[in-house]
Amino acid sequence: MGLDRIINVEDMHQLAKKRLPKIAFDFIEGGVEDEHGLDRNESAYRRHNLVPRYMVDVSEINQKTTLFGREYDSPFGISPTGAAALFRPGADLMLAAAARDANIPFIMSGASTASIEELAEVAPDHGWYQMYTAKDKSISEDMIRRADAAGLSTLVVTVDVPVRPRRERNLRNGFTRPLKLTLATRLDALCHPGWLIRYLKNGTPLISNWKQYAPKGASADDIATFVTQQTAATLTWSDIEKFRKLWPRKFVLKGIMHPQDALRAAELGVDGIMISNHGARQLDRAPAPLDVLPAIQAEVGDRMTLMMDGGIRRGADIVTAFALGVEFIFMGRPTLYGAAAAGQAGASHVIGILRNEIETNMRQMGCTSLEQLPEFLMWDDPDDLRRNKN
């Protein structure tokens, strides 16, 4: 299937599923335990309606967005997604290049298979770095210094991985450290020769940013095991305070879900938070980020930048989030589907789809700029039309 036949994110989702073996696709697709959180993330957007206004000149629509003093061409960016090279070698930098070309931000995962330094070469003005903290805090501090030396604008510290979750699809497929591949998994890989040839040529993806901290001579699997052992339940607010002091530019916490945690972050001088439940991959009973947004906004909305990820599949989802008050959206799976299915061109195609859907929805609504979007949110009480009286 050519990209000209991919008309929405779901089409790209299906193409990625077709081109990847189950062990790789399930790593992208899966959640944790019963996976109820996956549906919760997506369905949260569908509970909100947008009321259009007509007889409005919509010949010009502006979806440009300023985030941390930089103007981007669209109100969304690419979330960190680990092990991307498992789906297509070089996928991390393909995603970075797609973001650069579209003038949107890209967040490199702490489990990336490319390095901080490579990101700075490919997308120096659009690349952010997301860090998983280590038990050995000197490793984290050195990563911060490396991101600083590379000139990256924003450091994102992920706070929602205190324990390794039970991602049951991975366990069934033998996607563990070390790998314990079942016969069915091996046979399935043979049915995807394009992926298998690339995998055999390139081998197990290397988590590049951690290589220099692992024991000398460690293999890619050894380094992955080392990362798993290092990223455990040791992150505290005192660490965040120290990292804030070390990092000289914009500092973001990813994974905040409670208003009091958001308030604590604001008090420590954090510039922004990404409301996120890790794509429903950590705690299956966690609420959707969209559902906790109002409470967090009420607590700290005037003190820091509020971003969000989780469940984005349509431009209308992004429009809805902005109507509810978010200031920027990030997404992981949609562009990862694109990179897995068709490399950089696939990721760029997904960005273009969402950008066009945002514009189409805004035109249909009679909304010419993102700032107006809260005016179009369906009112709770039919008698209360004060927000739409004009």
Side-chain angles (χ1 to χ4, degrees):
M1 179 185 292
L3 290 181
D4 58 326
R5 298 180 63 184
I6 303 296
I7 64 172
N8 59 29
V9 170
E10 178 57 25
D11 288 345
M12 192 68 80
H13 175 204
Q14 293 301 320
L15 184 58
K17 184 176 183 178
K18 179 179 179 181
R19 293 187 175 177
L20 292 175
K22 189 174 188 296
I23 187 172
F25 182 76
D26 277 359
F27 186 86
I28 301 176
E29 194 76 349
V32 64
E33 296 182 352
D34 294 314
E35 299 190 341
H36 295 311
L38 293 172
D39 179 68
R40 194 177 302 120
N41 278 7
E42 293 185 32
S43 64
Y45 297 96
R46 297 193 290 270
R47 292 200 300 273
H48 298 279
N49 296 320
L50 301 168
V51 183
R53 300 293 298 271
Y54 297 116
M55 283 70 73
V56 177
D57 182 355
V58 291
S59 56
E60 293 187 11
I61 299 294
N62 180 19
Q63 61 173 281
K64 292 182 183 294
T65 311
T66 299
L67 177 62
F68 294 144
R70 180 180 180 87
E71 186 177 74
Y72 295 104
D73 284 351
S74 289
F76 61 86
I78 300 178
S79 289
T81 47
L86 174 65
F87 319 121
R88 182 173 292 269
D92 297 287
L93 297 182
M94 292 175 185
L95 290 165
R100 175 201 64 206
D101 293 348
N103 188 27
I104 61 173
F106 163 77
I107 309 176
M108 171 176 274
S109 169
S112 169
T113 50
S115 70
I116 293 169
E117 293 76 15
E118 289 173 317
L119 173 61
E121 291 180 7
V122 171
D125 298 324
H126 297 82
W128 300 8
Y129 182 63
Q130 174 257 329
M131 184 176 75
Y132 289 112
T133 56
K135 290 180 184 178
D136 181 351
K137 294 305 187 295
S138 68
I139 294 177
S140 300
E141 292 167 11
D142 190 60
M143 284 189 178
I144 292 173
R145 285 189 286 267
R146 287 171 57 195
D148 182 16
L152 301 183
S153 68
T154 307
L155 178 70
V156 181
V157 177
T158 287
V159 303
D160 59 0
V161 190
V163 66
R164 188 177 182 183
R166 288 184 60 80
R167 296 174 184 165
E168 295 179 4
R169 294 196 200 202
N170 293 351
L171 295 174
R172 292 190 183 96
N173 291 329
F175 196 104
T176 59
R177 298 295 183 186
L179 291 174
K180 298 178 182 178
L181 303 183
T182 65
L183 177 61
T185 296
R186 295 174 188 272
L187 292 174
D188 180 58
L190 292 172
C191 296
H192 297 82
W195 177 88
L196 183 59
I197 290 169
R198 290 192 294 269
Y199 179 79
L200 293 175
K201 179 181 178 181
N202 293 276
T204 301
L206 174 69
I207 304 178
S208 298
N209 283 315
W210 290 77
K211 180 180 179 181
Q212 65 194 70
Y213 311 115
K216 186 176 181 180
S219 67
D221 279 328
D222 292 337
I223 293 171
T225 301
F226 173 78
V227 173
T228 300
Q229 293 169 344
Q230 274 289 329
T231 51
T234 60
L235 179 65
T236 66
W237 283 109
S238 63
D239 295 316
I240 297 301
E241 187 173 10
K242 181 182 294 185
F243 297 156
R244 168 68 282 188
K245 291 176 180 177
L246 282 173
W247 181 253
R249 291 179 287 281
K250 298 301 182 182
F251 185 75
V252 173
L253 297 186
K254 181 179 185 294
I256 296 294
M257 291 286 284
H258 195 286
Q260 292 304 305
D261 287 345
L263 180 60
R264 183 74 177 273
E267 291 170 345
L268 291 179
V270 172
D271 297 294
I273 59 172
M274 192 177 302
I275 304 167
S276 172
N277 61 17
H278 212 98
R281 290 165 67 83
Q282 287 298 122
L283 178 65
D284 197 34
R285 298 300 174 95
L290 194 70
D291 289 338
V292 300
L293 170 64
I296 292 177
Q297 185 182 41
E299 192 70 50
V300 298
D302 60 343
R303 299 183 60 177
M304 62 200 323
T305 299
L306 300 185
M307 299 161 281
M308 191 175 73
D309 75 357
I312 296 294
R313 297 296 180 270
R314 285 282 188 181
D317 297 335
I318 297 170
V319 169
T320 299
F322 269 76
L324 288 164
V326 81
E327 295 171 78
F328 209 83
I329 281 288
F330 284 87
M331 58 179 179
R333 288 184 177 94
T335 45
L336 195 54
Y337 295 148
Q344 183 178 334
S348 295
H349 193 68
V350 168
I351 292 169
I353 286 171
L354 292 171
R355 179 173 283 170
N356 289 335
E357 288 182 349
I358 290 170
E359 181 168 328
T360 299
N361 276 270
M362 289 177 66
R363 288 184 188 278
Q364 178 62 35
M365 292 162 58
C367 177
T368 59
S369 69
L370 297 170
E371 293 76 15
Q372 299 171 358
L373 280 170
E375 302 171 15
F376 294 84
L377 192 65
M378 177 67 184
W379 47 88
D380 293 327
D381 185 338
D383 293 327
D384 182 11
L385 302 180
R386 286 174 295 175
R387 286 175 304 149
N388 297 303
K389 64 182 179 181
N390 296 323

